[in-house]
Amino acid sequence: MKMTSLLLGDPSPSLQWRAAVELEGITADNDDVQASRAEIRESAVVRSLLARLEAARHRPNAAGYLLCQLAYLGYAGPELGDAVDAIFARQQADGSWRVWLDDDNDQPAPKPTRKAQPQLAPSDGPRFVPMQTVVPLRGIAAAGFATDPRAERAYEWLLGVRLPDGSWPSGPKADLGGPGRPSQPEKDYRRLTRGAGCRSSTTGAVACFALHPERRRSDAARIGVDHLLARETRDESTLGWEVSRLVGLERAMGQVTFYVTFDLAFLLDLASRCGVSPQDRRVRELVAYLETLRGPYGLWQHRAHPQLSRWLTFDLEASLRRLADGDWIGNEEPAAFTPYRRGRRRY
């Protein structure tokens, strides 16, 4: 049986619609495509996400990722525009969004305690955290508003906080002193192989640029992808992690660590959107490795959630087809990577 036939026969109208349009090239006026689009609007998953989006209108980070989820499922209703305007209403003058507090995320509020919680002085908090802008901006771009002038201000802000090597930091701490005082090095578990920045922040920033119709092939986007491709570990256990979050089987959480999980499928998605050539050695070897994981009927298995096999297959197949249009080759020199430094032996 043909792999795309399995995707078209999936119970999810979202997967049916995306497979038909993006893999089979079926036009929007097709009766089956229109029927799938109508089912998407009425599906229980989409209605639930819309209800959560309405409740999160004043929480930019929560609303931003809900927009990503709705866009991934193929929903494009008017509620997205309203949510985008609500996110922009909380945008700061420089184009960024402020660091969210504990009650700004999409998680239950902590239980009250008798002991008073100490208030942080202004110097004890972060001056900025790129993720505060990355999460809302990716949702805005996924909803189709990447070229809105307000979104362009956010992109310019991201460009302004890049490190000299083209990566993004997790964010300098205000208690490190005056201007020019270097920030602490990134933690080993989220450091880049070659860059000085944070892998989580760089992944999120590249995800924003990858959804912009013009900036996705800019030097900023490609250098960011180049930093991510420098890590050449083959982490099969986390393959499809971002897909599982987008379809709602894993919780989207974390601030600095929002994109800390190294997902090869997500990396291939970003590389394909930013125009990396399939002839790039790292991409070529990554594709060859992924092909070894392809199972019967051309499907990839999702280790944590077997029911996501068809979604993961669609995601990877779409990335592989986009790679054909890539024409950029980055720094192909291999680099060793050690997630954690080994401590000295005590004896």
Side-chain angles (χ1 to χ4, degrees):
M1 181 179 291
K2 191 177 178 182
M3 178 265 296
T4 51
S5 299
L6 294 173
L7 303 185
L8 292 171
D10 191 83
S12 169
S14 296
L15 183 53
Q16 293 174 18
W17 178 78
R18 292 199 63 184
V21 174
E22 299 179 37
L23 298 185
E24 291 295 293
I26 301 176
T27 58
D29 58 355
N30 179 271
D31 292 341
D32 291 334
V33 169
Q34 290 182 352
S36 296
R37 201 62 188 267
E39 288 183 44
I40 291 174
R41 290 193 292 268
E42 301 302 324
S43 68
V45 175
V46 167
R47 304 318 299 180
S48 174
L49 288 174
L50 288 174
R52 292 173 57 195
L53 182 64
E54 177 63 26
R57 288 171 64 88
H58 303 299
R59 291 175 290 169
N61 62 310
Y65 201 75
L66 286 168
L67 288 174
C68 291
Q69 292 178 289
L70 286 164
Y72 192 77
L73 295 177
Y75 183 76
E79 297 91 342
L80 303 191
D82 295 339
V84 167
D85 287 336
I87 294 175
F88 278 135
R90 291 182 171 260
Q91 188 180 30
Q92 300 186 114
D94 62 359
S96 68
W97 280 265
R98 68 176 179 85
V99 179
W100 56 80
L101 303 175
D102 289 341
D103 59 349
D104 286 330
N105 57 36
D106 199 27
Q107 310 304 330
K111 295 181 179 179
T113 60
R114 293 183 179 181
K115 186 178 179 180
Q117 298 296 321
Q119 296 295 319
L120 294 178
S123 62
D124 293 331
R127 185 182 301 126
F128 70 83
V129 177
M131 204 63 70
Q132 73 197 11
T133 296
V134 160
V135 177
L137 182 58
R138 184 188 173 198
I140 290 168
F145 295 85
T147 57
D148 186 289
R150 298 166 292 181
E152 297 288 5
R153 291 209 330 265
Y155 279 107
E156 290 300 320
W157 184 87
L158 280 178
L159 291 175
V161 300
R162 276 199 312 164
L163 296 175
D165 62 12
S167 63
W168 276 267
S170 59
K173 302 294 286 187
D175 55 2
L176 291 177
R181 185 91 176 265
S183 61
Q184 295 290 337
E186 302 293 348
K187 301 294 184 181
D188 285 351
Y189 72 92
R190 51 180 170 79
R191 69 179 176 90
L192 290 167
T193 303
R194 289 198 178 97
C198 170
R199 179 171 50 80
S200 178
S201 294
T202 301
T203 300
V206 171
C208 294
F209 282 91
L211 295 175
H212 193 287
E214 298 171 4
R215 296 179 186 265
R216 65 188 182 91
R217 296 202 172 199
S218 65
D219 289 341
R222 287 174 167 177
I223 292 173
V225 169
D226 198 48
H227 279 298
L228 300 177
L229 287 170
R231 173 169 171 170
E232 299 187 58
T233 58
R234 300 295 180 243
D235 302 15
E236 182 183 355
S237 62
T238 55
L239 181 66
W241 170 258
E242 185 62 14
V243 171
S244 66
R245 295 204 303 180
L246 287 168
V247 299
L249 292 186
E250 294 287 350
R251 294 171 66 181
M253 57 192 301
Q255 192 178 79
V256 172
T257 59
F258 196 88
Y259 289 107
V260 75
T261 301
F262 187 64
D263 178 3
L264 293 174
F266 193 33
L267 176 60
L268 188 66
D269 175 80
L270 298 179
S272 68
R273 293 180 186 276
C274 293
V276 179
S277 171
Q279 300 306 315
D280 185 294
R281 180 193 61 80
R282 300 158 304 173
V283 173
R284 187 172 66 250
E285 293 179 1
L286 172 58
V287 171
Y289 169 74
L290 291 173
E291 288 293 349
T292 65
L293 302 179
R294 196 193 284 259
Y297 307 107
L299 300 179
W300 278 275
Q301 297 298 316
H302 196 289
R303 293 186 63 176
H305 303 286
Q307 66 270 39
L308 287 184
S309 171
R310 296 182 186 183
W311 266 115
L312 176 59
T313 299
F314 162 78
D315 198 88
L316 286 169
E317 190 66 30
S319 296
L320 291 173
R321 298 192 184 193
R322 281 193 300 268
L323 275 177
D325 296 329
D327 57 2
W328 184 81
I329 296 177
N331 182 2
E332 296 181 294
E333 289 298 319
F337 177 79
T338 304
Y340 296 93
R341 293 190 181 92
R342 293 183 179 180
R344 293 190 303 171
R345 292 185 178 182
R346 297 178 61 188
Y347 304 104

